[in-house]
């Protein structure tokens, strides 16, 4: 009898858990529907997440950015050998669910194969040939996707923290831009012109990070202003917005400047040029910039406790209140990932796990999710 009751009880628990699960997903308000009067809600996706995160993706998002699959190294790993399968799968899924797609990114100093910058004998490529390669890549890729991709990050991360253009002489190797090294500043305008020629109806974006640093904000503004005044077809600016739970206390650290006010100022300044603004890679790391965490201090699902979750929710609440009051100029807000079990911020070699998104590692909505939906 006792055993019978235990079995009954556990069956009841399992059934309850099942019901609660289903009810939770179905009764969750849909993010993209709630934000329809404001702007699109996007997520960066990888092919795996179409299987593991499809429910959340379809319910809450109406825009998709392939996380790595539209980068040069993915699409043209070898000269004139294009590999579209992974990107096509993502785009097909998105379009099948009537979602918008952002193409990220055509010209960047990272995730671009070495061959692009070398000639046939292994020396540095010359100006004409690099320009030809850039044009050919942009043209073929944009024509392949046609109007299935509506917005493109044509140039990514051309500016440094001090406001100077990124060159091939930067200290760290992964900061160097061979595009600038070979072609000089003109590579930026060239990329936009080639993109417009390839796909005249596509919306063309300049995308960059740390826009809240005043020197960077102003440099990006000047760059865009100059391009526009020369008639270069730039239609929008993307702010990556990889943010932290709060700004740093260290004035030397970039995230010291990471206030809502600074971000809003950048958004409004760019919009004053007549540009469309998109938030392209939003996440809110639970770590604070400028602090060195030792492995014992790394957060885990247990130490990412209600207090820190509430703090993160407040940061998200303020951010989205600011985005909403700028809805006339912001057309889309994309998260860099879907749920905390799949975020690039947990990919670091140190093993540090992060919890920067609106859904937890079990795909349940976090306090941050409800804060984003609280329009009071
Ligand atoms: C990141 C991806 O999320 C990672 O999976 C990959 O290993 C490196 O690139 N800025 C960008 C994005 O413009 O393309 C980067 O994406 C994150 C920073």
């Amino acid at each position: 009898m006792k055993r019978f009751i235990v079995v009954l009880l556990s069956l009841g628990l399992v059934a309850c858990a099942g019901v609660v699960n289903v009810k939770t997903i179905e009764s969750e308000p849909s993010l993209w529907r709630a934000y329809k009067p404001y702007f699109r809600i996007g997520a960066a996706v990888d092919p795996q997440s179409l299987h593991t995160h499809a429910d959340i993706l379809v319910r809450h998002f109406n825009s998709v950015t392939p996380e790595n699959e539209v980068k040069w190294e993915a699409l043209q790993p070898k000269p004139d050998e294009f590999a579209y399968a992974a990107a096509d799968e993502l785009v097909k899924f998105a379009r099948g669910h009537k979602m918008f797609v952002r193409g990220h990114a055509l010209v960047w100093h990272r995730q671009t194969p070495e061959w692009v910058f070398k000639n046939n004998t292994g020396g540095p490529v010359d100006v004409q040939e690099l320009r030809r390669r850039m044009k050919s890549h942009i043209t073929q890729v944009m024509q392949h996707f046609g109007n299935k991709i509506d917005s493109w990050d044509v140039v990514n991360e051309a500016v440094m923290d001090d406001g100077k253009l990124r060159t091939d002489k930067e200290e760290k190797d992964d900061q160097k831009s061979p595009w600038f090294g070979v072609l000089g500043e003109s590579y930026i305008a060239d990329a936009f012109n080639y993109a417009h020629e390839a796909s005249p109806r596509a919306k063309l974006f300049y995308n960059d990070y740390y826009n809240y640093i005043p020197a960077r904000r102003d440099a990006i503004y000047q760059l865009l202003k100059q391009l526009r005044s020369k008639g270069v077809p730039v239609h929008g600016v993307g702010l990556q917005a990889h943010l932290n739970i709060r700004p740093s206390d260290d004035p030397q650290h970039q995230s010291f400047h990471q206030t809502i006010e600074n971000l809003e100022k950048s958004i409004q300044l760019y919009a004053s040029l007549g540009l469309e603004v998109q938030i392209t890679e939003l996440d809110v790391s639970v770590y604070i910039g400028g602090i060195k965490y030792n492995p014992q201090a790394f957060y885990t699902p247990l130490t990412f406790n209600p207090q820190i979750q509430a703090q993160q929710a407040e940061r998200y609440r303020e951010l989205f209140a600011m985005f909403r009051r700028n809805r006339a100029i912001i057309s889309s807000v994309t998260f860099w990932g879907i749920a905390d079990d799949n975020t690039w911020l947990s990919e670091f070699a140190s093993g540090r796990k992060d919890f920067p998104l609106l859904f937890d590692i079990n795909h349940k909505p976090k306090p941050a999710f409800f804060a984003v939906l609280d329009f009071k």
Side-chain angles (χ1 to χ4, degrees):
M1 184 63 185
K2 230 173 165 184
R3 222 169 119 198
F4 180 65
I5 290 173
V6 169
V7 170
L8 265 187
L9 270 178
S10 27
L11 273 178
L13 278 179
V14 169
C16 271
V19 170
V20 169
N21 263 340
V22 172
K23 227 177 138 194
T24 310
I25 292 170
E26 285 180 347
S27 59
E28 266 166 34
S30 152
L31 263 183
W32 79 260
R33 284 194 181 87
Y35 272 91
K36 204 154 181 246
Y38 297 89
F39 35 73
R40 294 168 211 154
I41 299 288
V45 296
D46 55 31
Q48 181 63 21
S49 54
L50 296 189
H51 305 286
T52 48
H53 297 68
D55 289 353
I56 314 185
L57 186 59
V58 171
R59 181 161 186 84
H60 293 292
F61 299 88
N62 58 349
S63 177
V64 149
T65 306
E67 185 174 353
N68 289 298
E69 295 67 23
V70 176
K71 293 173 182 173
W72 193 312
E73 68 176 13
L75 290 184
Q76 196 188 170
K78 295 198 181 125
D80 295 313
E81 281 183 25
F82 286 82
Y84 288 113
D88 282 348
E89 194 194 343
L90 292 173
V91 173
K92 192 169 165 206
F93 180 94
R95 301 301 294 188
H97 289 92
K98 301 196 167 49
M99 295 162 157
F100 290 86
V101 183
R102 302 197 78 259
H104 171 81
L106 291 167
V107 174
W108 191 21
H109 63 286
R110 288 183 190 249
Q111 293 182 272
T112 305
E114 279 183 14
W115 67 259
V116 175
F117 306 108
K118 291 202 169 131
N119 65 20
N120 295 343
T121 53
V125 65
D126 65 41
V127 173
Q128 279 74 19
E129 177 59 12
L130 186 58
R131 236 186 240 133
R132 193 199 64 76
R133 286 177 188 174
M134 186 209 269
K135 182 172 186 182
S136 149
H137 182 82
I138 291 177
T139 308
Q140 296 197 55
V141 167
M142 289 184 83
Q143 288 182 350
H144 172 85
F145 292 105
N147 56 15
K148 293 189 199 116
I149 295 188
D150 49 285
S151 302
W152 286 91
D153 291 332
V154 178
V155 175
N156 196 24
E157 305 183 345
V159 172
M160 296 295 290
D161 289 0
D162 60 4
K164 300 214 175 77
L165 282 181
R166 180 185 301 281
T167 70
D168 56 331
K169 305 275 181 318
E170 307 305 335
E171 229 169 85
K172 293 192 187 138
D173 276 351
D174 64 357
Q175 294 294 324
K176 294 180 173 148
S177 172
W179 290 112
F180 184 96
V182 179
L183 301 177
E185 185 172 351
S186 67
Y187 85 91
I188 302 173
D190 284 350
F192 281 97
N193 283 321
Y194 297 150
H196 188 59
E197 226 174 278
S199 188
R201 283 194 313 194
K203 283 208 170 148
L204 307 183
F205 282 74
Y206 174 75
N207 196 50
D208 216 327
Y209 59 93
Y210 299 171
N211 295 271
Y212 41 79
I213 302 178
R216 252 182 178 278
R217 164 172 56 221
D218 296 343
I220 293 172
Y221 170 77
Q222 290 302 337
L223 171 68
L224 295 168
K225 193 173 169 192
Q226 239 183 52
L227 292 170
R228 297 274 286 183
S229 72
K230 285 194 226 144
V232 177
V234 189
H235 310 122
V237 55
L239 287 80
Q240 292 189 5
H242 295 293
L243 305 175
N244 302 80
I245 201 157
R246 69 168 173 82
S248 176
D249 297 320
D250 172 3
Q252 298 312 314
H253 194 267
Q254 53 82 12
S255 69
F256 178 78
H257 305 281
Q258 213 186 77
T259 58
I260 304 286
E261 293 70 28
N262 266 340
L263 262 170
E264 185 167 22
K265 214 168 152 189
S266 307
I267 290 170
Q268 295 183 348
L269 193 65
Y270 302 149
S272 73
L273 292 169
L275 292 166
E276 185 172 325
V277 176
Q278 299 195 341
I279 307 300
T280 52
E281 306 185 14
L282 177 63
D283 43 26
V284 175
S285 167
V286 296
Y287 299 94
I288 298 161
I291 293 180
K292 189 154 170 30
Y293 292 82
N294 58 37
Q296 294 95 294
F298 290 171
Y299 286 102
T300 67
L302 282 181
T303 59
F304 178 47
N305 58 36
Q307 194 199 333
I308 311 285
Q309 294 202 30
Q311 198 188 336
Q312 185 184 48
E314 285 318 299
R315 183 91 161 132
Y316 263 117
R317 183 196 305 278
E318 284 185 18
L319 267 172
F320 271 79
M322 185 270 278
F323 295 155
R324 286 196 304 275
R325 64 177 176 261
N326 288 287
R327 67 173 175 274
I329 52 185
I330 296 178
S331 58
S332 153
V333 174
T334 293
F335 291 84
W336 206 242
I338 301 170
D340 286 347
D341 60 332
N342 186 7
T343 159
W344 76 300
L345 295 176
S346 293
E347 285 172 11
F348 290 121
S350 65
R352 191 173 96 167
K353 294 278 174 263
D354 213 329
F355 304 87
L357 298 164
L358 300 188
F359 298 89
D360 71 15
I361 54 170
N362 299 311
H363 301 185
K364 295 280 170 283
K366 292 159 60 178
F369 170 85
F370 296 105
V372 165
L373 281 171
D374 182 7
F375 288 10
K376 279 197 294 289

